Amino acid sequence: MTKFLKVKDRLDAVFAAVATGAKFISACFLLSMIAAVSMQVLGRIFHFKVPVTEEIGTYSLIWMTYIASIAVIIKGEHLTVDLFLNHYKPAQRRVVRVFVDVLILIFCGMLMIFGFQLCRSPIIINGRTPALQMSRLYVYLSVPIAMTFNTIFIFYDLIVAAADICFKGGLTDEDNRRKAAETAKHAKESAQEEAEFKKAFLMNEEAGEEENDL
């Protein structure tokens, strides 16, 4: 299990970097969408029209959604219903995790294959957007790119989930122990920062009172 944990730690670091990059890229598309929509609003107020803003806003939203899904699925922050899962025993939860990963893997895999097939279509490649006059391929590429990353990560998570069953929850226990240690470390650092802030604040108050006395 120790060797498996070492490999898992390295892959987790790689996927964490991918998630960080995905968040940055999706944030850029979000800013682009906000700028385009803001321009549209100003255009309606001051009676001018920029045709490309509608397409920029729409396509930025599409890319932002798919790229952000990479970070969401890696971080495990997608919507889940824990109403029934919380009543399961730890062993049952590990089995459910495998089942859920299989379903997500099938879904993302199908979207990945369909996305690549769609991007190979001459209609998509040769088609042009009305305002920007760019190939529609650049719009639909968001599907296979995002789903490829999601499929790879879910396949990795499925392996980890299956290994966790073999190790009888050892991986989950280790992850929980590390998270608890990190939480305690952050709480300690926050407490120290708060204590230093209070100390500096009191020192400033005392110095102010001394100046007033003088």
Side-chain angles (χ1 to χ4, degrees):
M1 185 173 121
T2 304
K3 293 181 179 179
F4 187 88
L5 280 173
K6 289 181 180 179
V7 176
K8 180 178 177 296
D9 289 340
R10 292 177 182 176
L11 291 177
D12 285 344
V14 172
F15 283 118
V18 172
T20 302
K23 287 192 289 186
F24 175 77
I25 295 173
S26 61
C28 292
F29 281 115
L30 176 61
L31 292 175
S32 175
M33 183 183 68
I34 292 173
V37 173
S38 300
M39 186 65 68
Q40 284 182 309
V41 173
L42 291 175
R44 292 176 183 177
I45 295 174
F46 297 104
H47 306 290
F48 68 88
K49 188 175 182 181
V50 183
V52 297
T53 54
E54 184 175 354
E55 288 189 5
I56 292 175
T58 302
Y59 302 151
S60 295
L61 175 62
I62 294 171
W63 273 91
M64 180 194 70
T65 302
Y66 279 101
I67 297 300
S69 71
I70 300 173
V72 170
I73 206 164
I74 290 177
K75 295 293 184 180
E77 296 175 350
H78 49 283
L79 292 176
T80 57
V81 180
D82 297 331
L83 179 62
F84 299 105
L85 189 61
N86 291 334
H87 294 286
Y88 292 160
K89 297 179 180 179
Q92 294 173 325
R93 292 183 185 179
R94 292 192 288 270
V95 175
V96 171
R97 179 183 175 185
V98 171
F99 177 71
V100 171
D101 280 350
V102 169
L103 291 180
I104 298 177
L105 181 63
I106 294 172
F107 176 76
C108 292
M110 290 178 64
L111 279 181
M112 179 186 67
I113 295 171
F114 174 75
F116 279 116
Q117 291 176 346
L118 192 64
C119 291
R120 292 176 60 186
S121 171
I123 298 175
I124 300 300
I125 296 174
N126 299 324
R128 298 286 171 178
T129 60
L132 293 172
Q133 285 298 306
M134 69 176 185
S135 174
R136 293 186 181 275
L137 174 66
Y138 298 114
V139 180
Y140 289 94
L141 267 176
S142 58
V143 179
I145 289 175
M147 290 304 116
T148 298
F149 280 103
N150 290 345
T151 301
I152 292 172
F153 175 77
I154 287 299
F155 182 72
Y156 160 73
D157 193 69
L158 178 61
I159 294 174
V160 173
D164 196 31
I165 293 177
C166 296
F167 294 131
K168 297 181 179 180
L171 296 179
T172 302
D173 294 339
E174 180 64 20
D175 286 340
N176 291 336
R177 186 190 65 78
R178 291 181 180 181
K179 289 179 181 178
E182 290 179 0
T183 302
K185 181 180 178 182
H186 289 316
K188 184 178 179 181
E189 291 175 352
S190 299
Q192 289 178 348
E193 291 177 358
E194 185 177 357
E196 291 176 358
F197 174 79
K198 288 181 178 179
K199 183 179 179 181
F201 180 76
L202 291 173
M203 289 177 65
N204 290 332
E205 279 193 343
E206 291 177 356
E209 290 177 356
E210 290 178 358
E211 290 179 358
N212 291 333
D213 293 339
L214 293 174

